[in-house]
Amino acid sequence: STLVSAAIGQAVLGELVALRRDRPDLVRRTFARRVRQMFMLGAASTLCLLAITPLLPFVLGAKWSGVRPYVLALAPVLLMSLTASPFGCVLDVFQRQDFHLVRESARIVLMASAVLAITLGHLRPVSAVMLFGAAGTLNYASYLAFSWSAIKNGRRREAVAEA
């Protein structure tokens, strides 16, 4: 998924830079369309993974018979990862280093809190993976929220600068 997201991210970067320069009125609509497209790609990929999960013990051996709860726990973070990862460049395009700092700080706090809760709560493995997956899902959702905010605020900043 990382390789696919990185490749798509490069295309998104080029498209957003060109739109910001030439057609800033289309940036929001294009971003929303691309997020929907990535969500659909992520949903299809996640559903394929869920569909093949019952076959894993037959292909990889009996030790994989307990994998289903883990795959189910991580499916939402996989979906959000595939959806949000290509849009990390939005903060670069709109020169929002301040958002980078806040986003990455929030990511550290969120993921560290999940690890701390898992450790202090002495959670069972499936519960630990569920909590870590939920934290990862929220992390990627925040990536999209910061990107959307940068686009909205970027247009306001440009309007003020032109006035």
Side-chain angles (χ1 to χ4, degrees):
S1 76
T2 302
L3 184 60
V4 170
S5 292
I8 293 171
Q10 290 298 307
V12 167
L13 174 62
E15 182 178 36
L16 289 177
V17 166
L19 285 174
R20 184 171 186 224
R21 182 187 61 235
D22 301 330
R23 294 291 312 269
D25 57 308
L26 295 178
V27 171
R28 282 187 189 188
R29 190 174 356 164
T30 301
F31 175 80
R33 185 176 68 245
R34 296 290 181 238
V35 168
R36 281 191 305 274
Q37 290 169 340
M38 289 307 303
F39 181 83
M40 296 307 292
L41 178 64
S45 300
T46 302
L47 288 173
C48 285
L49 176 65
L50 292 171
I52 67 165
T53 299
L55 303 175
L56 292 177
F58 300 108
V59 175
L60 301 173
K63 290 184 180 182
W64 286 81
S65 62
V67 75
R68 185 168 171 72
Y70 296 96
V71 172
L72 289 172
L74 293 175
V77 74
L78 174 64
L79 173 60
M80 284 306 296
S81 169
L82 290 168
T83 302
S85 291
F87 303 101
C89 66
V90 169
L91 301 185
D92 298 324
V93 171
F94 285 89
Q95 300 175 344
R96 294 306 308 256
Q97 288 77 14
D98 55 334
F99 279 17
H100 269 295
L101 177 63
V102 174
R103 181 185 75 183
E104 294 306 315
S105 298
R107 177 183 183 176
I108 290 167
V109 169
L110 182 63
M111 300 312 284
S113 297
V115 170
L116 185 64
I118 290 165
T119 303
L120 294 178
H122 304 289
L123 298 181
R124 294 176 8 159
V126 172
S127 298
V129 170
M130 288 175 69
L131 180 58
F132 200 74
T137 301
L138 288 174
N139 173 53
Y140 284 111
S142 77
Y143 268 45
L144 286 176
F146 277 106
S147 295
W148 181 249
S149 183
I151 288 170
K152 284 176 55 177
N153 292 329
R155 289 194 61 200
R156 277 193 218 123
R157 281 180 160 186
E158 290 166 4
V160 170
E162 291 172 1

